Amino acid sequence: MKSSRFSTIILLTVVSIALASCSFERKFGQNFIATEASKSVVFLEPTGYLFKTNLKNTSAPKGAKLKQTELEAIKFENSKFLKLISDSIFLTRFTEAYMAELNALGLNVCLDGASATDCPPRAHNFKITIDQLELQEFDKTITDEQYIYNTVYQKDINLEAVSMHAWFLITETANTNRQPKALYAENQLAEEIVKSGFLKSRKTGKILHQLKTDKLSLSKIYAMAEELGRKYASYSFDYILNHYIYSSYPKNSKPQRYLHYNRFTGKLESAGDEHFTRQ
């Protein structure tokens, strides 16, 4: 009986601590959004180069002994989309969307350098470096499978795809002694299947595979630049938000969750898997 009562006390204590931790998270998070975000300045250093890598299989000319750089050049020329993408257009659309979203989230943003003189330091000052952006072109293979007359039919489908890989450095300027760790994110855009399946030909009686897709295009890749600019700005804001929450916590205690601020609902919620990873 005593053991049962003791276990109940321990359980209630653990629950109380967990609830208190959640309360702290929301309290500090809401305080940052309501008052501290507007007192924060981000000095942004964009990248000036877009890396492009073609991962599709490309064979070198027979008998040719090529250096790695020469082989990469051949693969680049054999790409469908990478060779057509303008670095300046892609980077401009990404950076402008990134800055606009940070502003919409409540932060003051200036380009690092000459224009930084227009942004006097405030209570919280951060430098964000877009350290590297890379586009990779590849074939995304999926298998369509269907049972017809107790027989399994399979068809491998190669979908055109492009992925973006991004590395960021975020530092609080007041804490210059700490070496920033790279923050990483990646997303992909692929040709979409509209219709896929097997059917029996009326003429031959053979089982045929039919496929209809929404093709990948250059305009969709440029649109992805803007979409991911906004997405990674949200990741950056959440990183700064959670840094503030962590710094505000009482000693010998730490947050239990990594929070995301949804500016459309005005609410704090668990970020889940939607955040930067450290590298």
Side-chain angles (χ1 to χ4, degrees):
M1 190 70 176
K2 287 184 178 181
S3 175
S4 176
R5 185 177 301 172
F6 184 65
S7 298
T8 302
I9 292 172
I10 292 176
L11 178 61
L12 289 173
T13 302
V14 170
V15 171
S16 298
I17 293 173
L19 290 173
S21 179
C22 291
S23 177
F24 276 133
E25 288 170 3
R26 291 194 172 278
K27 174 185 175 183
F28 295 137
Q30 289 166 352
N31 182 62
F32 179 81
I33 292 163
T35 62
E36 301 303 318
S38 61
K39 300 177 185 177
S40 303
V41 175
V42 167
F43 300 97
L44 178 65
E45 182 180 355
T47 182
Y49 186 78
L50 180 63
F51 289 85
K52 301 172 186 174
T53 305
N54 182 12
L55 299 180
K56 293 178 178 177
N57 291 327
T58 302
S59 57
K62 288 185 178 181
K65 294 182 179 180
L66 301 176
K67 296 179 181 178
Q68 184 63 31
T69 52
E70 294 173 325
L71 181 58
E72 292 298 325
I74 292 174
K75 293 180 73 172
F76 179 78
E77 284 303 317
N78 287 334
S79 67
K80 182 174 181 179
F81 300 106
L82 297 183
K83 64 183 179 183
L84 301 176
I85 295 172
S86 164
D87 289 22
S88 60
I89 293 175
F90 189 94
L91 292 174
T92 297
R93 292 179 69 165
F94 176 87
T95 303
E96 288 182 351
Y98 183 87
M99 294 181 68
E101 184 64 19
L102 284 181
N103 277 316
L105 286 162
L107 297 175
N108 302 284
V109 187
C110 278
L111 290 174
D112 198 29
S115 65
T117 56
D118 298 328
C119 290
R122 301 200 181 186
H124 311 288
N125 304 286
F126 295 89
K127 179 175 180 179
I128 298 181
T129 302
I130 304 176
D131 200 42
Q132 182 175 320
L133 294 180
E134 180 181 0
L135 289 178
Q136 295 181 356
E137 183 175 329
F138 60 99
D139 286 327
K140 182 178 180 180
T141 303
I142 65 170
T143 301
D144 193 2
E145 183 177 283
Q146 189 174 339
Y147 285 86
I148 301 178
Y149 306 129
N150 296 322
T151 302
V152 179
Y153 291 86
Q154 291 182 327
K155 175 72 175 180
D156 286 338
I157 303 170
N158 289 327
L159 301 174
E160 294 177 334
V162 170
S163 60
M164 190 171 90
H165 306 256
W167 290 263
F168 291 78
L169 300 175
I170 302 180
T171 55
E172 189 170 12
T173 56
N175 192 1
T176 55
N177 294 327
R178 180 176 294 180
Q179 186 69 22
K181 292 184 178 180
L183 302 172
Y184 174 76
E186 67 174 81
N187 288 88
Q188 64 177 238
L189 179 67
E191 180 180 1
E192 295 183 16
I193 294 177
V194 177
K195 186 178 182 181
S196 177
F198 295 87
L199 53 81
K200 188 175 182 179
S201 172
R202 293 180 179 179
K203 292 183 178 180
T204 65
K206 293 182 178 180
I207 300 298
L208 304 176
H209 184 262
Q210 60 176 354
L211 176 67
K212 182 180 179 182
T213 64
D214 183 8
K215 298 291 186 181
L216 191 59
S217 65
L218 198 59
S219 62
K220 289 180 180 179
I221 295 173
Y222 282 135
M224 178 181 74
E226 294 185 13
E227 180 183 343
L228 292 184
R230 292 188 292 269
K231 186 184 189 77
Y232 296 161
S234 178
Y235 282 11
S236 300
F237 181 89
D238 289 346
Y239 181 86
I240 292 172
L241 165 69
N242 283 274
H243 169 77
Y244 175 82
I245 293 172
Y246 187 90
S247 302
S248 302
Y249 247 68
K251 291 183 178 180
N252 302 321
S253 182
K254 61 181 181 180
Q256 300 298 310
R257 297 183 301 164
Y258 191 92
L259 294 181
H260 162 68
Y261 173 57
N262 186 328
R263 72 176 177 89
F264 299 103
T265 63
K267 294 181 179 180
L268 289 168
E269 53 198 42
S270 175
D273 294 328
E274 292 294 319
H275 58 79
F276 287 129
T277 58
R278 291 182 180 272
Q279 288 203 329

